[in-house]
Amino acid sequence: MVHKSAVSEVLPTGWRRTGEADFEVWAQWPRDHGYWRTRDGRQDPMLMVETARQILPLLSHAAYGMPHGHQLVWKTFSFETSAHFLRVTDRPAEITVRIAAAQGPKAGSRFRGAALEMVVEHEGEIVGTVSTVYTAHPAEIYRRLRGPSASPEEAMSRARAVPLPPALSPASAGRELAREVVLSPGLAGSGPWQLRVDTTSPWLFDHPVDHAPGMLLMEAARQGAHAAALPRETVLTGIDVTFIRYVELDKPCWIEIAAPVAEGCDTFRVSVSQDGQEALSGTVRVADAPDASAS
């Protein structure tokens, strides 16, 4: 229902309809996820992004009757939160996501996608907001869109045949381990960075896919913004991106983080390109990492 293979990676725990186009989804965030790791006693904001991503197929199947086998394609995604993100306690965090949907299917028509506005709450307090637009395609239409690249198994096989480029240092990317880093220093030893497509990752590649997942691209944008802000220590507070075209798994892909959009601003422009064509564009927002003892 959420397009994951591993039960341990499923974040939603239930859902209900609260209006004609309104829903609630409940989710549980672990005290320390295997990839979206706790940092300085706080949850990783990317857990909110992954929760929103899982809500897309959940509502598409459960609320709108989308058949299994359809492919979901992101058009836009944005989220916003605070630098003082959710603190980790001695138990998993119980999350409520309140959703308002638009562009849903008309009665008797095929589900083609939706626009969702989400408010993410923990114990009655808002911890973030999400806005996203996505489309849905039956398998036969998706095969026509992707042509010879439509087979996930073949795409993953081709990707594994390409040597994985070296990782940026984990500290520069804001990660703990080299296997978590999705950026390579690239030709100049700094940005633009080359995307590291590690198809053995059990989190970013939970199952075979035919193109670079949106979560991989947004994590690359997050890591790039962290590196661009050094020597400041920053945390992610927002992403606002448009997905323009597919990123193939077996070709070099480049992540470019431009200077802040204005002096004194912590919003960085991000561009993802492949074969000289832009595949994703938008902005990433960061803030100074709060003191570990701050409330």
Side-chain angles (χ1 to χ4, degrees):
M1 296 294 281
V2 298
H3 294 185
K4 298 295 278 187
S5 294
V7 173
S8 61
E9 294 303 303
V10 177
L11 300 175
T13 59
W15 75 282
R16 69 177 179 130
R17 188 186 292 270
T18 57
E20 184 177 351
D22 301 305
F23 306 91
E24 275 185 3
V25 172
W26 306 287
Q28 188 181 81
W29 292 350
R31 285 176 288 176
D32 197 6
H33 188 268
Y35 187 79
W36 317 115
R37 292 181 179 275
T38 297
R39 179 180 176 186
D40 294 330
R42 299 181 189 278
Q43 296 276 13
D44 187 335
M46 289 295 286
L47 267 177
M48 184 163 62
V49 180
E50 174 60 17
T51 300
R53 189 214 61 76
Q54 293 187 21
I55 285 173
L56 269 57
L58 173 62
L59 291 185
S60 299
H61 291 304
Y64 293 125
M66 182 184 77
H68 290 281
H70 277 46
Q71 295 288 331
L72 302 184
V73 179
W74 252 327
K75 295 182 69 177
T76 63
F77 183 89
S78 64
F79 90 95
E80 186 170 358
T81 188
S82 163
H84 296 273
F85 196 56
L86 193 61
R87 271 201 169 279
V88 177
T89 66
D90 60 354
R91 63 192 57 154
E94 302 293 339
I95 302 298
T96 299
V97 185
R98 306 190 191 280
I99 303 158
Q103 299 179 16
K106 297 179 181 178
S109 64
R110 177 175 68 82
F111 179 67
R112 300 176 184 274
L116 305 179
E117 299 288 336
M118 309 183 195
V119 177
V120 183
E121 299 179 359
H122 174 254
E123 296 181 350
E125 302 237 351
I126 295 175
V127 297
T129 58
V130 174
S131 178
T132 187
V133 179
Y134 68 103
T135 57
H137 305 282
E140 61 273 15
I141 293 179
Y142 187 75
R143 282 194 296 268
R144 288 203 296 269
L145 284 173
R146 294 290 287 136
S149 302
S151 168
E153 290 74 16
E154 289 183 14
M156 295 281 280
S157 177
R158 290 195 303 270
R160 292 190 184 103
V162 177
L164 195 64
L168 194 66
S169 73
S172 295
R175 304 296 309 197
E176 294 181 5
L177 304 172
R179 67 175 301 191
E180 300 168 350
V181 177
V182 299
L183 299 179
S184 177
L187 300 176
S190 61
W193 296 281
Q194 185 176 354
L195 183 68
R196 296 184 79 241
V197 181
D198 183 2
T199 58
T200 68
S201 168
W203 305 285
L204 296 171
F205 290 91
D206 166 80
H207 55 278
V209 292
D210 65 274
H211 61 276
M215 289 300 297
L216 170 60
L217 300 181
M218 286 193 281
E219 174 63 18
R222 186 260 283 268
Q223 292 186 18
H226 182 90
L230 290 174
R232 292 172 53 208
E233 282 294 319
T234 59
V235 293
L236 179 69
T237 60
I239 287 177
D240 187 350
V241 294
T242 297
F243 296 87
I244 302 168
R245 54 178 42 87
Y246 300 100
V247 172
E248 306 300 339
L249 298 175
D250 59 343
K251 297 180 180 180
C253 174
W254 302 95
I255 317 297
E256 185 169 4
I257 304 292
V261 296
E263 186 176 355
C265 177
D266 289 323
T267 300
F268 293 84
R269 297 184 183 92
V270 58
S271 177
V272 177
S273 61
Q274 188 174 66
D275 287 339
Q277 294 184 307
E278 194 169 43
L280 175 149
S281 68
T283 56
V284 181
R285 293 182 295 281
V286 299
D288 289 328
D291 186 273
S293 62
S295 61

